[in-house]
Amino acid sequence: MSEPERPQGERGATRAGRRAAAPGGLSEERVEREPERPPGERGATRAGRPAAAPGGLSEEGVEREPERPPGGRGATRAGRPAAAPGGLSEERVEREPERPQGERVEPGAGASPVPVRDAATVVLLRDSAGGPEAFLLRRVRGMAFAAGMTVFPGGAVDPRDADTAVGWVGPPVADWTAPFDADEALARALLCAAVRETFEESGVLLAGPTADQVTATDGPDWEADRVGLERRDFSLAELLARRGLQLRADLLRPWAHWITPPQESVRRRYDTRFFVAALPAGQRTRDVTSEADVVEWVRPADALDQLRRGERPMMPPTIVTLEEIADYGSVADVLAAGRSPARIQPTVSTVDGRPAVTLPNGRVLRLAQP
């Protein structure tokens, strides 16, 4: 089923010669196959169910964009404040693999030590007449974590993501160590996790038979492979080898690096690296994850407007990432940003008697009660 067209809104011209926005964003979840929705029903729910109203926020959910303290932001871009870094981890909760080099454990505030798992997220983008659009998923209301939240595809690193036998095109593994503060084994695992998660949650595979080709992923055989990969019947390296494909690392760019802050109520923590990538020509996204009741392409500015109206709950990392990407006029501009993400871990506190997240630059995002 092809991805329906969405009405194009007005958008400013591409801003040239600007500095890259500060890093931000976090990852999201994946799961099983879901029936495709009829053409034209973007934003509708699956299996004839009514669309779930925003809500069911988790302990880390954002109600709306709060006021920023004066002077709490950096330089402005095109008349609006530059996005500030920050965010909380929002990865999958159903099945968490072991880390390739073992989990590190850090103490939570007033709690037992909480393991920190490596994870990868991909902000998948495509151009529209109104500027870049991002592929977004809304998690179902019944989920125990991030219920009703708009998220990006992503999840925890699987041990087999570090397989050295994976075919590779683009910047060598060593080139990814500095941007993400990782050794080569972890850098390889992060790239493989990013490609794997994107395929599992959207049907888009950033791989091809040669350095200048990307494979098609239509047909029941590809869906069977997607489901098998999701069930861990085989690894990404095994899938690519069987299909005669190589991972296209050249299609990805580093964007951000976030760590879930320690907190008494947090039982899952992630050290998450974020990538941006363009939707490859000849591929299309599919509605394939049962943990989301809506999948759609949305301009970042439109998604942020929906957040302010209370129509699209999002966690801080998602908000910040969309703020950053909204400042670019094309996907090519985003990919050319040349970011070197700094590792950022926000803090959780109480403001006016309510839970809040404080970003490193002092910006405060109040959180909804569960």
Side-chain angles (χ1 to χ4, degrees), residues 125-217:
L125 301 168
R126 72 178 185 185
D127 281 314
S128 74
E133 294 178 326
F135 182 69
L136 302 176
L137 307 90
R138 188 182 72 186
R139 285 174 59 79
V140 297
R141 294 283 303 276
M143 297 299 296
F145 186 76
M149 293 289 162
T150 289
V151 298
F152 302 115
V157 170
D158 183 274
R160 290 181 294 177
D161 289 331
D163 191 342
T164 58
V166 67
W168 194 279
V169 170
V173 173
D175 288 2
W176 294 90
T177 59
F180 284 138
D181 188 23
D183 59 23
E184 290 195 15
L186 179 55
R188 179 184 292 105
L190 289 166
L191 267 291
C192 288
V195 171
R196 175 180 54 76
E197 291 286 345
T198 302
F199 182 48
E200 290 175 7
E201 297 192 356
S202 73
V204 170
L205 183 60
L206 302 175
T210 67
D212 57 359
Q213 290 181 299
V214 178
T215 188
T217 56

Side-chain angles (χ1 to χ4, degrees), residues 225-236:
D225 277 346
R226 189 199 66 79
V227 172
L229 189 63
E230 185 176 58
R231 289 193 311 232
R232 302 297 184 265
D233 293 343
F234 41 80
S235 68
L236 177 68

Side-chain angles (χ1 to χ4, degrees), residues 31-36 46 220 223-224 226-227 230 287-290:
V31 273
E32 305 165 1
R33 181 181 182 183
E34 284 292 330
E36 296 184 350
R46 301 191 184 94
E223 178 57 18
R226 189 199 66 79
V227 172
E230 185 176 58
D287 186 356
V288 291
T289 174
S290 64

Side-chain angles (χ1 to χ4, degrees), residues 245 311 367:
L245 303 175
E311 299 168 0
L367 306 178

Side-chain angles (χ1 to χ4, degrees), residues 13 17 48-49 66 122 126 142 149 193 219 268 279-280 286 297 315 317 328:
R49 291 179 291 148
V122 176
R126 72 178 185 185
M149 293 289 162
R268 296 177 180 89
L279 176 69
R286 305 199 305 273
W297 288 93
M315 292 183 176
Y328 293 88

Side-chain angles (χ1 to χ4, degrees), residues 8 19 25-26 78 82 146 162 167 173 192 201 230 239 251 254 277 286 315 324 330 336 343 358 366-367:
Q8 305 300 339
R19 294 168 55 189
L26 269 198
V173 173
C192 288
E201 297 192 356
E230 185 176 58
L239 171 63
L251 301 180
R286 305 199 305 273
M315 292 183 176
E324 294 168 346
S330 70
R343 184 169 61 178
T358 301
R366 284 183 294 227
L367 306 178

